[in-house]
Amino acid sequence: MTALVRRAYGASPWHLLLMVGVLALVAYAGTHLLHGGDPWGIALWFVGAALLHDLVLVPAYTLVGRALRLVGRGHLVLVPAVASGLLLLVYLPLILGPSHTYVAKTGLTGEPFAARWLLVSAALFAASAAVGAVRHRRARRDRAA
């Protein structure tokens, strides 16, 4: 039985059980957070997000990563860019301006999110530049020795 599941699924039955459990938990949390909103709409949103990620975003940042590697030291730009992009993706509704529902439920305006995202992004790129500078200096010192 285990071999059959492993052959068909590609991983152990425990992994499959864990993934089903996680999806069930996410579905429960989604419906609970939306106070019993349309479960089919929530499921459609999750499927759409997964398809968008797998069919559009993965190829896009794979191509960008390969292009940066061809230039050299691409990881020094890629890591902060991906982190900044993920933060933008997560906080985009608040960066653009929160909905009336968000303001009504939290009492917060969402005003500082754009500035904070820019500061975090700048810090990520600055830290990456510092790492690159240290590596460059070490490489020059090692070549000179």
Side-chain angles (χ1 to χ4, degrees):
M1 173 76 172
T2 302
L4 179 66
V5 171
R6 187 176 295 276
R7 195 174 326 117
Y9 175 64
S12 74
W14 292 108
H15 186 269
L16 177 61
L17 184 64
L18 180 67
M19 290 295 106
V20 169
V22 166
L23 287 175
L25 179 65
V26 167
Y28 169 75
T31 57
H32 184 68
L33 289 174
L34 295 173
H35 300 294
D38 178 26
W40 291 110
I42 295 168
L44 181 65
W45 189 89
F46 276 114
V47 170
L51 288 174
L52 174 71
H53 176 266
D54 292 348
L55 298 177
V56 176
L57 296 178
V58 169
Y61 55 72
T62 300
L63 289 173
V64 169
R66 286 183 181 172
L68 288 172
R69 280 190 208 102
L70 289 175
V71 173
R73 300 209 191 276
H75 60 281
L76 293 174
V77 176
L78 188 62
V79 171
V82 168
S84 178
L86 286 174
L87 287 172
L88 177 64
L89 186 63
V90 169
Y91 292 105
L92 185 64
L94 294 173
I95 290 171
L96 294 178
S99 67
H100 297 294
T101 306
Y102 177 83
V103 173
K105 288 187 177 186
T106 64
L108 302 173
T109 62
E111 180 182 324
F113 282 99
R116 289 178 183 170
W117 173 73
L118 287 172
L119 286 172
V120 168
S121 296
L124 287 169
F125 280 100
S128 183
V131 167
V134 167
R135 287 182 182 173
H136 180 70
R137 180 173 288 172
R138 283 184 184 168
R140 281 183 58 198
R141 186 183 66 210
D142 291 345
R143 273 186 258 137

